[in-house]
Amino acid sequence: MDETPLPEITEQFARTLAPASDAVIEEMDAKADREGFPTVGPAVGGWLRLVARMVDADRVFEFGSGFGYSAYWMAPAVPDDGQIVLTEIDADELDEAREFLDRGGFADRAAFEHGDAIKTVENYDGPFDVVLIDNEKHRYAEAFEAVRGKVPVGGAVVADNMIEAGPLEFEEVRALLDGEDIDANEASRGIAAYLERIGDDPAFETGLLPLGEGVAVSVRVE
């Protein structure tokens, strides 16, 4: 009997079903492996593209883009006259993102914003059909508040790192959500605060995608 844990089987199967990568994605994956840079990986990348297609996304906003991995996966689902707004505090990583998307032929639909994503989104009116939250974990709820009014009915907010991420302790998150008064770290408190906020919002319905490091997908329903 195969004793491979179900999450690992799910991840492997999702990778099998994900859209085919190209030379640029393969280079980005190699870079992430070589440098230990956290990306969503191809299984979640394929899901991000699918979400963008399902909501017929014209505009996408990312809170935290790194060197453009997630944006590159979503770019084929955005029309030529659409827009993906990448935000990154690290100028060198943003330059790399610009280079990767340019090589893939997607730079024409991308805006590259250097600086704090939560301040940057204030400069955009929206609407944004897909929003990816992948910035500092303790600021997830703040990011949601900043963009909530710019997500139309039918739009999706996707948040990475619901289960794993650096200092994040999943048991701490669960305890906080259960109302326990514990001495949790900043990342755990940030993820718990986000899940409470999005879960209490009647305008959104949320589910957990058990791939990568855990992805919460919230659809605006009213």
Side-chain angles (χ1 to χ4, degrees):
M1 180 178 177
D2 190 347
E3 297 182 355
T4 303
L6 182 58
E8 186 175 333
I9 293 175
T10 304
E11 184 85 12
Q12 292 171 358
F13 197 52
R15 284 173 178 254
T16 300
L17 293 176
S21 61
D22 61 15
V24 177
I25 288 177
E26 290 174 1
E27 184 177 339
M28 296 171 91
D29 280 327
K31 171 183 171 64
D33 289 342
R34 183 175 62 251
E35 300 179 5
F37 192 98
T39 68
V40 297
V44 174
W47 263 95
L48 290 175
R49 185 180 300 178
L50 183 60
V51 169
R53 291 200 190 282
M54 287 192 297
V55 304
D56 197 20
D58 284 321
R59 300 184 76 209
V60 175
F61 189 94
E62 291 191 333
F63 287 87
S65 297
F67 59 81
Y69 189 88
S70 297
Y72 194 97
W73 271 104
M74 287 188 281
V78 177
D80 293 345
D81 60 351
Q83 184 182 50
I84 302 178
V85 181
L86 292 81
T87 65
E88 179 53 50
I89 199 73
D90 187 309
D92 291 337
E93 289 177 13
L94 194 65
D95 285 342
E96 289 180 301
R98 184 181 288 105
E99 179 181 345
F100 282 128
L101 267 74
D102 183 57
R103 286 171 51 195
F106 303 122
D108 59 339
R109 69 201 67 175
F112 301 91
E113 296 279 5
H114 177 227
D116 185 283
I118 295 175
K119 293 181 179 178
T120 298
V121 77
E122 296 176 1
N123 300 324
Y124 285 85
D125 293 331
F128 290 108
D129 307 295
V130 177
V131 173
L132 175 63
I133 299 179
D134 196 11
N135 57 335
E136 305 97 326
K137 309 314 163 197
H138 67 279
R139 302 183 73 195
Y140 270 32
E142 184 183 359
F144 174 71
E145 294 294 349
V147 80
R148 180 189 182 282
K150 301 175 184 182
V151 179
V153 172
V157 177
V158 182
D160 193 28
N161 303 124
M162 295 294 101
I163 298 174
E164 297 179 20
L168 177 67
E169 296 288 346
F170 181 62
E171 292 303 322
E172 290 183 353
V173 174
R174 291 187 60 181
L176 290 167
L177 292 174
D178 287 339
E180 297 181 28
D181 184 14
I182 64 171
D183 184 20
N185 67 50
E186 188 176 51
S188 299
R189 289 191 177 279
I191 296 300
Y194 175 77
L195 289 171
E196 283 188 330
R197 176 64 187 88
I198 195 76
D200 289 342
D201 195 323
F204 288 83
E205 291 184 0
T206 301
L208 178 68
L209 184 64
L211 293 175
E213 296 182 326
V215 181
V217 181
S218 306
V219 176
R220 182 146 202 169
V221 295
E222 63 178 54

